[in-house]
Amino acid sequence: MYNHKKTFPLAAAALAILIAALLVVGAAAAPDPFKGTWYSVDIDTSNQTLRIGGGPGSSYHVRYYDDGASVCGW
């Protein structure tokens, strides 16, 4: 005879382990939120582009471009 009172805790534990394993794998495979290309418009209406990529180890390389940038001062 099948006793569901004994098998339910085992099935629940197995399901919890499977869900935990999937969460760990999903977290490890998550992309870096800083890497990518970012666009904005400056207050002088010029376009700005910021590119962030991965470098060696845990470093980043960053490139910034402003199509309306100029040098001013004394």
Side-chain angles (χ1 to χ4, degrees), residues 5 13-14 17 22 27-28 30 37 39 42 64-67 72:
K5 290 183 180 180
I17 291 171
L22 290 174
T37 303
Y39 301 100
D42 201 357
Y64 171 74
Y65 178 76
D66 186 344
D67 65 4
C72 61

Side-chain angles (χ1 to χ4, degrees), residues 43-67:
I43 58 173
D44 64 357
T45 68
S46 63
N47 298 307
Q48 300 173 326
T49 305
L50 177 67
R51 289 190 175 96
I52 302 174
S58 60
S59 65
Y60 293 96
H61 64 265
V62 178
R63 292 187 180 177
Y64 171 74
Y65 178 76
D66 186 344
D67 65 4

